[in-house]
Amino acid sequence: VTALALIDGNSFYCSCERVFDAKLEKRPVIVLSNNDGCAVARTSEAKALGIKMGQPMFQIRDLCRENKVAVFSSNYALYGDMSRRMNTIYDTFSPDNEIYSIDETFLDVAPVPKGQRTEWAGDLRATTRQWTGIPCSVGIGPTKTLAKLANKASKHLPGGVLDLSDPREQARVMADFPIGDVWGIGRASQAKLLALGIRFAGQVRDMDSKLARQMMTVVGEKIVHELNGIPCIALETVAPQRKGCAVTRSFGSRVTMKVEMEQAVAGYATRLGEKLRRHNLATDQVTVFMHTSRFNDDEPQRSVSMTVDIPEATNDSLQLIKAGRRAVDNLWLSGFRYSKAGIITQDLVRPPIPQRALFDNLDHERAAAVMAAMDEANRRWGRATVVPAATMGGPKKSQSFSTKFEMRSPRFTTRWDELPECR
DNA sequence: TCTGGGGTCCTAGGACCC
DNA sequence: TCTGGGGTCCTAGGACCC
């Protein structure tokens, strides 16, 4: 019989900020998306003020000022490093685990006897809190969907742990658990279910699985089984190879000149190359898109994309830049205020081994050496220490279209020059 | 004025084949 | 009026996740 625990950090990004500033403990805290656009993490105090997930910052600026809400830009270097530290702790509790997202990990708890799981989870939670400062919640159940549900329900509990190994306990919690909070049921499915009078997880558990499939595809059928304690979604302890890779950004200010678009897309292509090289992957085509803001319907709209083939699969940033430039050349049309662009690739492959051909293999080797040197310099001295000239007017000089992070905290744990100070 | 980024999976429908 | 019967592969779009 399978048994899984799901542990996650409460208001994770906000909690990371609190670790490094004790004064934030009692204050509402929110963390913003890229470009300081909308709220993507809120503490319970911020939620109580009525701040919604994904709410645009300009709508809540006054509310935040009046209530002394601590507002932060995203600090991914910090959150990523905190996440890594938490997972090293989880490893000591269960070697069989799956990192599901930056703040969520599934752990195999089948080896822990049924009666001891709550205590085990309490220990896991306390250790994580003590060693990292991040408060967590733990849910336990026989399937991933039930572990997720238990985790969600545990948020209201003082102990922060809920064990749903027992079917009677499952039934008790599911009886008034809203369907919209069930893992895999989003807005569209919720509306269909509500139309049938299905409001709580317990009713979904009792649905005919064929009906669920008809309404919500095979995904819905799996949810019904999973709620009944029958696993349909496996624990993936080794991460499967990724299928696609993208770098897309909203601009810090609207782009109206082609040269800016070229530089922006060149920067995204550079970053794409970095990501591909880190995963030891390559691609033989990239799609570039650009569009205006869909929120401004009183100005001319434009949304276009183009896929460019690359003769041989590569992860060389300079090749990707070249392909990106071709796309921009074709797509660019003046007279619009572009708000966002990006570069996307699918069908990732292992980098081809350069053939020992008579001629151009030297080019391959030199290109790879240049990329390796650039990656090493950027690893040692920080991102964008060395960049391709196509991306800009000079290293570390920010452009007007660059993403805004005006309220970012220091990268406390990953930069020597940004260590927290004790006075 | 100001509204994120990066993924996965599923299905329907078209193109193409014999 | 009425125009075969399967297959496979690919892609676009929808839904969902954090």
Side-chain angles (χ1 to χ4, degrees):
Chain A
V1 183
T2 62
L4 298 169
L6 177 69
I7 181 165
D8 77 336
N10 301 336
S11 312
F12 179 59
Y13 292 178
C14 297
S15 293
C16 289
E17 301 293 347
R18 276 181 170 167
V19 168
F20 294 92
D21 186 353
K23 289 199 287 287
L24 297 175
E25 211 52 54
K26 293 283 186 298
R27 280 175 67 188
V29 180
I30 64 173
V31 172
L32 304 178
S33 64
N34 265 6
N35 248 337
D36 296 339
C38 13
V40 292
R42 309 105 76 216
T43 61
S44 55
E45 299 83 357
K47 290 174 194 171
L49 289 172
I51 298 173
K52 302 291 181 220
M53 180 65 185
Q55 193 165 13
M57 186 56 200
F58 72 86
Q59 289 177 2
I60 52 175
R61 191 148 284 153
D62 294 342
L63 181 77
C64 288
R65 192 169 38 237
E66 286 156 18
N67 294 280
K68 301 216 180 324
V69 177
V71 180
F72 290 91
S73 306
S74 301
N75 187 342
Y76 300 114
L78 177 64
Y79 312 149
D81 188 59
M82 295 300 283
S83 170
R84 190 185 53 76
R85 288 163 192 245
M86 292 159 76
N87 277 294
T88 59
I89 295 169
Y90 305 159
D91 279 339
T92 67
F93 280 74
S94 168
D96 293 314
N97 58 48
E98 173 187 341
I99 299 172
Y100 176 66
S101 75
I102 193 167
D103 77 318
E104 290 173 282
T105 298
F106 287 103
L107 295 87
D108 182 14
V109 287
V112 181
K114 256 194 182 181
Q116 298 170 27
R117 287 176 187 159
T118 301
E119 193 192 345
W120 177 91
D123 191 15
L124 170 67
R125 188 173 171 269
T127 306
T128 305
R129 178 69 194 250
Q130 189 175 351
W131 292 6
T132 67
I134 302 289
C136 293
S137 306
V138 186
I140 294 171
T143 64
K144 280 186 169 177
T145 305
L146 282 168
K148 284 281 281 187
L149 192 149
N151 172 285
K152 177 87 181 172
S154 77
K155 301 276 177 192
H156 314 292
L157 272 36
V161 173
L162 180 59
D163 178 7
L164 293 186
S165 295
D166 174 33
R168 294 218 318 282
E169 278 294 287
Q170 294 164 20
R172 184 180 64 76
V173 172
M174 281 195 273
D176 61 356
F177 191 93
I179 52 171
D181 289 342
V182 174
W183 192 39
I185 298 183
R187 278 217 325 268
S189 299
Q190 186 184 25
K192 289 183 202 166
L193 291 170
L194 286 176
L196 292 186
I198 296 173
R199 297 164 56 202
F200 302 113
Q203 295 170 278
V204 179
R205 175 202 57 207
D206 295 337
M207 275 179 82
D208 175 54
S209 66
K210 294 301 162 206
L211 174 65
R213 182 178 192 130
Q214 201 185 307
M215 291 178 65
M216 299 177 281
T217 78
V218 69
V219 175
E221 184 174 10
K222 286 182 181 175
I223 291 172
V224 171
H225 290 313
E226 285 251 325
L227 289 177
N228 278 286
I230 301 161
C232 299
I233 308 169
L235 185 74
E236 297 192 328
T237 54
V238 285
Q241 201 198 97
R242 61 193 300 154
K243 309 234 160 74
C245 197
V247 180
T248 69
R249 293 284 180 280
S250 292
F251 299 124
S253 62
R254 299 285 189 253
V255 161
T256 54
M257 293 191 302
K258 188 179 178 191
V259 60
E260 294 176 308
M261 186 64 82
E262 285 170 344
Q263 289 178 6
V265 172
Y268 305 156
T270 302
R271 179 83 187 108
L272 182 69
E274 280 174 22
K275 288 165 85 171
L276 293 180
R277 292 192 296 277
R278 176 166 331 156
H279 295 281
N280 189 29
L281 292 167
T283 184
D284 61 1
Q285 55 166 245
V286 292
T287 299
V288 172
F289 74 85
M290 59 184 77
H291 63 70
T292 52
S293 170
R294 66 182 191 281
F295 297 105
N296 295 8
D297 42 18
D298 52 343
E299 67 174 68
Q301 296 282 304
R302 179 171 163 81
S303 175
V304 286
S305 75
M306 179 184 200
T307 301
V308 174
D309 290 326
I310 300 169
E312 190 184 12
T314 185
N315 55 26
D316 181 341
S317 290
L318 303 183
Q319 298 283 326
L320 299 172
I321 288 173
K322 208 194 283 179
R325 178 186 286 268
R326 272 177 52 201
V328 173
D329 254 345
N330 275 274
L331 294 173
W332 179 261
L333 202 56
S334 296
F336 299 91
R337 299 168 62 242
Y338 295 94
S339 66
K340 182 172 178 174
I343 186 164
I344 303 167
T345 170
Q346 308 160 92
D347 302 322
L348 301 178
V349 297
R350 289 294 167 196
I353 297 141
Q355 297 299 310
R356 278 276 159 193
L358 273 180
F359 301 111
D360 65 359
N361 59 329
L362 230 52
D363 288 347
H364 274 110
E365 284 170 24
R366 287 178 56 184
V370 169
M371 287 303 113
M374 193 170 81
D375 290 341
E376 175 59 17
N378 290 334
R379 189 195 64 76
R380 209 183 294 182
W381 293 296
R383 184 172 294 170
T385 299
V386 179
V387 298
T391 63
M392 56 183 358
K396 297 213 169 172
K397 178 171 165 292
S398 114
Q399 290 134 309
S400 64
F401 57 79
S402 300
T403 313
K404 280 190 231 163
F405 296 96
E406 289 176 352
M407 292 157 283
R408 186 166 68 194
S409 53
R411 288 161 287 194
F412 297 109
T413 64
T414 56
R415 298 286 283 251
W416 288 110
D417 52 350
E418 297 181 18
L419 284 175
E421 293 176 22
C422 297
R423 288 180 243 256

